[in-house]
Amino acid sequence: MDARHRVVFAPSGLSVTVDEGTTVLDAARQAGADLDSTCGGRGLCGRCQVVPTAGSFSKWQIESTDNSITGWASTEENYTGRRPILDRQRLGCAAQVCGDVVVEIPAASQVHKQVVRKSVDLGDIEVDPLVRLHYIELPKAELGAELGGLSEQIGAALLADYDVTMARLDAHVLPLIADAAKRGDNAITVGVRRGCDVCAVYPGYVDRSFGVAVDVGSTTVAGHLVDLATGEVVVSNGVMNPQIRFGDDLMSRVSYVMMNPGGDVELTRSIRAALNTMVGELVDDAATSVDTLRPIDRTSILDMTLVGNPIMHHVILGIDPTPLGQAPFLLATDSAVTVRATDLEIDAPFASTYLLPCIAGHVGADTAGAILAEGPHRSDALQLLVDVGTNAEIVFGNSEHVLAASSPTGPAFEGAQISAGMRATAGAIERVRIDRDTLEPRVKVIGSDLWSDDPAFSGETSKLDISGICGSGIIEVMGELYLAGLLDVDGTVRSDGPAKTDRVFADGRTFSYRLFGDADDPTANINVTQDDVRAIQLAKAALRAGIDLLCEHAGKTDPNEIGSVRLAGAFGAHIDPLYAKVLGLVPDVPVTQVASVGNAAGAGAVRALVSAAQRAEIEAAVRRVEKIETATEPRFQELFVNAMGFPHTTEPTPNLASETVLPSAQPKLDAVGGRQRTGRRRRPT
């Protein structure tokens, strides 16, 4: 019998067992993985490039080695396509499987590239960048004239023309001055950092300089190219975090480092490469869309800011993240860090990179960025700020007292651990409504503005692959199932559902709900299972328990005392506030006081990029934040159990009851439909 091997495709996690000698492209097709190819596997288009990985992958129980894929093939040797084969990548149509293997599909090789929906809203801010441009006309050099060296001439001109006292001229700029002066006919433009250090030089007159602010999330990385003089975000871009192939969540990546010698180097290399690629794409996009006298290139970038959770922060800096994987979760540093971009292997030769300070072992620079953007420390009213992601960060307080904590929600909200879960790509279900009488659903998908009951829906979505549910859709379908009476308070899909609608059906010992698809073709259906509900319950209970813990520490357990709730992050930005309350993600604050605020961490990074005062503010603010470690809090487990129910097991929800029609109490049923007892009667609505 021919040998068979298991192939797992990252970041989707799809897997398939194939015969030895099967090409990676054919394996991807069998698994349903999203791998592009326009030449039919003939080695012409170069679109099917993949990255075979080596290491021990505990979450998939695979030992992947360099010998799991055949060596370089003649197809690759003779390849002359327009898209070059990148370093460490292989053509999926040429590489053959000869062992169990984990294969990464880069974003550029995916048919449905991720829709990274992270934007920034800076509000009112005084632009005060750390780097400014100054145009200088140097004197003509003549034999016998005592002008001093070019560096000294620059210093004299800065003082005379701009009242700037040059403290130093960066060593990497010194060799470039003579050529710049020659090409500019003795006219140059210099970049001056912090009002005293010359960090860049260009020939002639340069009118604009730029910076890059980056939010490095566990799942997505979002970057913004910003005009340093105006604070205008001119181009934004986003990519998936390539570290996903090492684990969906942070702790699995730390575990990978612990189990694989040199794993920390791999994590660092992968994220730095992604950052460098993102910077290049931002520059390329700006070069064709932004009006400047001098063409924009990588030397146009004079400053960078980065935010990320503590593990991303440490990995980017090349610091071993394993101490953050176990108590007492020690940071290498909680201070702001400034390094040259080139030290992080980012090709931006004139740029300095500023990493915002971390707060605690699981509360990082991304939370600092969110605090800077939303300003709980500037507010008289109590503010609850929640960055909902793979690892949820929670900030609660006002100008008198700010507390922060992290809750291990896991990746369920972003589609992982959900049977039909997927990331926010074209075709993903993102909105759900269930009719209270017929129990029939209607949905909206990314890529169309129409609801599925619109006659034009089928035609408009005919080219979309509607194959799953993304985060916002998962939240809404759970809320709708509960509001429609198909889901009990304890999260059980009711066994009397099949008597009410054929969309509820027996699924082993539990029941599932058919959300989308033809009942006659079960393989094409998108279902919500009991396990899906449990995964969301666990995630939302962890988040809510963290919130309730902070409220208790602050002595503010009455939801009506909270002035505002702000949902941040790529996922939080797309949660409907009402459904956040229906699931019990947040306390029973009036829904008008709950708002999605977009990518607050990224907005904080942009603020720090364009303002020296903002950097000073956040460095001072984080020193006053009280850190609460949920892992060591005795009350956390009790609060977690209480938060498992929809909306909550023990807390009343009078505000929610006035905002929507909550389901009436129903008899409690066993798994096969037999009556057990009457459930706790809900307060009348």
Side-chain angles (χ1 to χ4, degrees), residues 366-415:
D366 50 352
T367 306
I371 290 174
L372 186 60
E374 296 304 316
H377 60 297
R378 298 187 293 262
S379 172
D380 293 331
L382 285 170
Q383 181 190 117
L384 174 61
L385 172 61
V386 186
D387 192 329
V388 188
T390 307
N391 204 57
E393 286 82 30
I394 309 160
V395 179
F396 182 63
N398 57 15
S399 57
E400 296 180 1
H401 186 202
V402 177
L403 304 95
S406 172
S407 270
T409 54
F413 287 139
E414 295 176 329

Coordinates of all heavy atoms in Angstrom, one line a residue, residues 366-415:
D366 N -0.3 47.7 22.9 CA -1.6 47.9 22.2 C -2.6 48.5 23.2 O -3.4 49.4 22.8 CB -2.1 46.6 21.6 CG -2.2 45.4 22.5 OD1 -1.7 45.5 23.7 OD2 -2.7 44.4 22.1
T367 N -2.6 48.1 24.4 CA -3.6 48.6 25.4 C -3.2 50.1 25.7 O -4.0 51.0 25.9 CB -3.6 47.8 26.7 OG1 -3.9 46.4 26.3 CG2 -4.6 48.3 27.7
A368 N -1.8 50.3 25.8 CA -1.4 51.7 26.0 C -1.8 52.6 24.9 O -2.3 53.7 25.1 CB 0.2 51.7 26.1
G369 N -1.8 52.1 23.6 CA -2.2 52.8 22.5 C -3.7 53.1 22.6 O -4.2 54.2 22.3
A370 N -4.5 52.1 23.0 CA -6.0 52.3 23.1 C -6.3 53.3 24.2 O -7.2 54.2 24.1 CB -6.6 51.0 23.4
I371 N -5.5 53.3 25.3 CA -5.7 54.3 26.4 C -5.4 55.7 25.9 O -6.2 56.6 26.1 CB -4.8 53.9 27.6 CG1 -5.3 52.7 28.3 CG2 -4.8 55.1 28.6 CD1 -4.4 52.2 29.4
L372 N -4.3 55.8 25.1 CA -4.0 57.1 24.6 C -5.1 57.6 23.6 O -5.4 58.8 23.6 CB -2.6 57.0 23.8 CG -2.0 58.3 23.3 CD1 -1.8 59.3 24.4 CD2 -0.7 58.0 22.5
A373 N -5.7 56.7 22.8 CA -6.7 57.2 21.9 C -8.0 57.5 22.5 O -8.6 58.5 22.2 CB -6.9 56.1 20.8
E374 N -8.4 56.7 23.5 CA -9.8 56.9 24.1 C -9.8 57.7 25.3 O -10.8 58.2 25.7 CB -10.4 55.5 24.3 CG -10.6 54.7 23.1 CD -11.5 55.4 22.1 OE1 -12.5 56.0 22.5 OE2 -11.2 55.5 20.9
G375 N -8.6 57.8 26.0 CA -8.5 58.7 27.1 C -9.3 58.5 28.4 O -9.8 59.4 28.9
P376 N -9.4 57.2 28.9 CA -10.0 57.1 30.2 C -9.3 57.9 31.3 O -10.0 58.4 32.2 CB -9.9 55.6 30.5 CG -8.8 55.1 29.6 CD -8.9 56.0 28.4
H377 N -8.0 58.1 31.2 CA -7.3 58.8 32.2 C -7.5 60.3 32.1 O -7.1 61.1 32.9 CB -5.8 58.5 32.0 CG -5.2 58.9 30.7 ND1 -5.6 58.3 29.5 CD2 -4.3 59.8 30.3 CE1 -5.0 58.9 28.5 NE2 -4.2 59.8 28.9
R378 N -8.2 60.8 31.0 CA -8.6 62.2 30.8 C -10.0 62.4 31.1 O -10.5 63.5 31.0 CB -8.3 62.6 29.4 CG -6.8 62.5 29.0 CD -6.6 63.1 27.6 NE -7.2 62.4 26.5 CZ -6.6 61.5 25.7 NH1 -5.3 61.2 25.9 NH2 -7.2 60.9 24.8
S379 N -10.8 61.4 31.5 CA -12.2 61.5 31.6 C -12.7 61.6 33.0 O -12.2 60.9 33.9 CB -12.9 60.2 31.0 OG -14.3 60.2 31.2
D380 N -13.7 62.4 33.3 CA -14.3 62.5 34.6 C -15.2 61.3 34.8 O -15.3 60.8 35.9 CB -15.1 63.8 34.7 CG -14.2 65.0 34.8 OD1 -13.0 64.9 35.2 OD2 -14.6 66.1 34.3
A381 N -16.0 60.9 33.8 CA -16.9 59.8 33.9 C -16.1 58.5 33.8 O -15.1 58.4 33.2 CB -17.9 59.9 32.7
L382 N -16.7 57.4 34.4 CA -16.1 56.1 34.3 C -16.2 55.6 32.9 O -17.3 55.6 32.2 CB -16.8 55.1 35.2 CG -16.5 55.3 36.7 CD1 -17.4 54.4 37.5 CD2 -15.0 54.9 37.0
Q383 N -15.1 55.0 32.3 CA -15.1 54.5 31.0 C -14.6 53.0 31.1 O -13.7 52.7 31.7 CB -14.1 55.3 30.1 CG -14.1 54.8 28.7 CD -12.9 55.4 27.9 OE1 -12.0 54.8 27.5 NE2 -13.0 56.7 27.7
L384 N -15.4 52.2 30.3 CA -15.0 50.8 30.2 C -14.5 50.6 28.7 O -15.3 50.8 27.8 CB -16.1 49.8 30.5 CG -15.9 48.3 30.2 CD1 -14.7 47.8 31.1 CD2 -17.1 47.5 30.5
L385 N -13.2 50.3 28.6 CA -12.6 50.1 27.2 C -12.2 48.7 27.1 O -11.4 48.2 27.9 CB -11.4 51.1 27.1 CG -10.5 50.9 25.9 CD1 -11.3 51.2 24.6 CD2 -9.4 51.9 26.0
V386 N -12.8 48.0 26.1 CA -12.5 46.6 25.8 C -12.0 46.4 24.4 O -12.7 46.7 23.5 CB -13.8 45.8 26.1 CG1 -13.5 44.3 26.0 CG2 -14.5 46.1 27.4
D387 N -10.8 45.9 24.3 CA -10.3 45.5 23.0 C -10.5 44.0 22.9 O -9.9 43.2 23.5 CB -8.8 45.8 23.0 CG -8.2 45.7 21.5 OD1 -8.7 44.9 20.8 OD2 -7.3 46.4 21.2
V388 N -11.6 43.7 22.1 CA -12.0 42.3 21.9 C -11.2 41.6 20.8 O -11.2 42.0 19.7 CB -13.5 42.2 21.5 CG1 -14.0 40.8 21.6 CG2 -14.3 43.1 22.5
G389 N -10.4 40.6 21.2 CA -9.6 39.9 20.3 C -9.2 38.5 20.8 O -9.9 38.0 21.7
T390 N -8.2 37.9 20.2 CA -7.8 36.6 20.7 C -7.4 36.6 22.2 O -7.7 35.7 22.9 CB -6.6 36.1 19.9 OG1 -6.9 36.2 18.5 CG2 -6.2 34.7 20.2
N391 N -6.8 37.7 22.6 CA -6.6 38.0 24.0 C -7.2 39.3 24.3 O -6.8 40.3 23.8 CB -5.1 38.0 24.3 CG -4.8 37.7 25.7 OD1 -5.2 36.6 26.2 ND2 -4.1 38.6 26.4
A392 N -8.3 39.4 25.1 CA -9.0 40.6 25.4 C -8.3 41.5 26.4 O -8.0 41.0 27.5 CB -10.4 40.3 25.8
E393 N -8.1 42.7 26.1 CA -7.6 43.7 27.1 C -8.7 44.6 27.6 O -9.5 45.0 26.8 CB -6.5 44.5 26.5 CG -5.1 43.8 26.3 CD -5.1 43.0 25.1 OE1 -5.7 43.4 24.1 OE2 -4.4 41.9 25.0
I394 N -8.8 44.8 28.9 CA -9.8 45.5 29.5 C -9.3 46.7 30.3 O -8.3 46.5 31.1 CB -10.7 44.6 30.4 CG1 -11.1 43.3 29.7 CG2 -11.9 45.4 31.0 CD1 -11.5 42.2 30.6
V395 N -9.8 47.9 30.1 CA -9.4 49.0 30.9 C -10.6 49.7 31.5 O -11.6 49.8 30.8 CB -8.6 50.1 30.0 CG1 -8.2 51.3 30.8 CG2 -7.4 49.4 29.4
F396 N -10.6 50.0 32.8 CA -11.8 50.6 33.5 C -11.3 51.7 34.4 O -10.4 51.5 35.2 CB -12.5 49.5 34.2 CG -13.7 50.0 34.9 CD1 -14.8 50.5 34.2 CD2 -13.8 49.9 36.3 CE1 -16.0 50.9 34.8 CE2 -15.0 50.4 37.0 CZ -16.1 50.9 36.2
G397 N -12.0 52.8 34.3 CA -11.6 53.9 35.3 C -11.9 55.3 34.7 O -12.5 55.4 33.7
N398 N -11.3 56.3 35.4 CA -11.4 57.6 34.9 C -10.1 58.4 35.4 O -9.1 57.7 35.7 CB -12.6 58.3 35.5 CG -12.7 58.2 37.0 OD1 -11.7 57.9 37.7 ND2 -13.8 58.5 37.6
S399 N -10.2 59.7 35.4 CA -9.0 60.5 35.7 C -8.4 60.2 37.1 O -7.3 60.5 37.3 CB -9.3 62.0 35.5 OG -10.4 62.4 36.3
E400 N -9.3 59.7 38.0 CA -8.8 59.5 39.3 C -8.1 58.1 39.5 O -7.2 58.0 40.3 CB -10.0 59.5 40.3 CG -10.7 60.9 40.4 CD -11.9 60.9 41.3 OE1 -12.1 59.9 41.9 OE2 -12.5 62.0 41.5
H401 N -8.6 57.1 38.8 CA -8.1 55.7 39.0 C -8.4 54.9 37.7 O -9.5 54.8 37.3 CB -8.8 55.1 40.2 CG -8.2 53.8 40.6 ND1 -9.0 52.9 41.4 CD2 -7.0 53.2 40.4 CE1 -8.2 51.8 41.6 NE2 -7.1 52.0 41.0
V402 N -7.4 54.3 37.2 CA -7.5 53.4 36.0 C -7.0 52.0 36.3 O -5.9 51.9 36.9 CB -6.8 54.0 34.8 CG1 -6.9 53.0 33.6 CG2 -7.3 55.4 34.4
L403 N -7.8 51.0 36.0 CA -7.3 49.6 36.2 C -7.3 48.9 34.8 O -8.0 49.3 33.9 CB -8.3 48.9 37.1 CG -8.6 49.4 38.5 CD1 -9.9 50.3 38.5 CD2 -8.8 48.3 39.5
A404 N -6.5 47.9 34.7 CA -6.3 47.2 33.5 C -6.1 45.7 33.7 O -5.5 45.3 34.8 CB -5.2 47.7 32.6
A405 N -6.6 44.9 32.9 CA -6.4 43.4 33.0 C -6.6 42.8 31.6 O -7.0 43.5 30.6 CB -7.5 42.8 33.9
S406 N -6.2 41.5 31.5 CA -6.3 40.8 30.3 C -7.1 39.5 30.6 O -6.9 38.9 31.6 CB -4.9 40.4 29.8 OG -5.0 39.6 28.7
S407 N -7.9 39.1 29.6 CA -8.7 37.9 29.8 C -8.4 37.0 28.6 O -8.5 37.4 27.4 CB -10.2 38.2 29.9 OG -10.6 38.4 31.2
P408 N -8.2 35.7 28.9 CA -7.9 34.7 27.8 C -9.1 34.3 27.0 O -9.6 33.2 27.2 CB -7.2 33.6 28.5 CG -7.9 33.6 29.9 CD -8.2 35.0 30.2
T409 N -9.6 35.1 26.1 CA -10.8 34.7 25.4 C -10.6 33.6 24.3 O -11.5 32.9 24.0 CB -11.4 36.0 24.7 OG1 -10.5 36.6 23.9 CG2 -11.9 37.0 25.8
G410 N -9.4 33.6 23.8 CA -9.1 32.6 22.8 C -9.6 33.1 21.4 O -10.2 34.2 21.3
P411 N -9.4 32.3 20.4 CA -9.7 32.8 19.0 C -11.2 32.6 18.5 O -11.5 32.8 17.4 CB -8.7 32.1 18.1 CG -8.6 30.7 18.9 CD -8.7 31.1 20.3
A412 N -12.1 32.1 19.4 CA -13.4 31.8 19.0 C -14.2 33.0 18.4 O -14.9 32.8 17.4 CB -14.2 31.2 20.2
F413 N -14.0 34.2 18.9 CA -14.7 35.3 18.4 C -14.3 35.6 17.0 O -15.0 36.3 16.2 CB -14.4 36.6 19.3 CG -15.1 36.6 20.6 CD1 -14.5 37.0 21.7 CD2 -16.5 36.1 20.7 CE1 -15.2 37.0 22.9 CE2 -17.1 36.1 21.9 CZ -16.5 36.6 23.0
E414 N -13.1 35.2 16.6 CA -12.5 35.5 15.3 C -12.7 34.3 14.3 O -12.1 34.3 13.2 CB -11.1 35.9 15.4 CG -10.9 37.2 16.1 CD -9.5 37.6 16.4 OE1 -8.6 36.7 16.5 OE2 -9.2 38.8 16.4
G415 N -13.5 33.3 14.7 CA -13.9 32.3 13.8 C -13.2 30.9 14.1 O -13.7 29.9 13.7

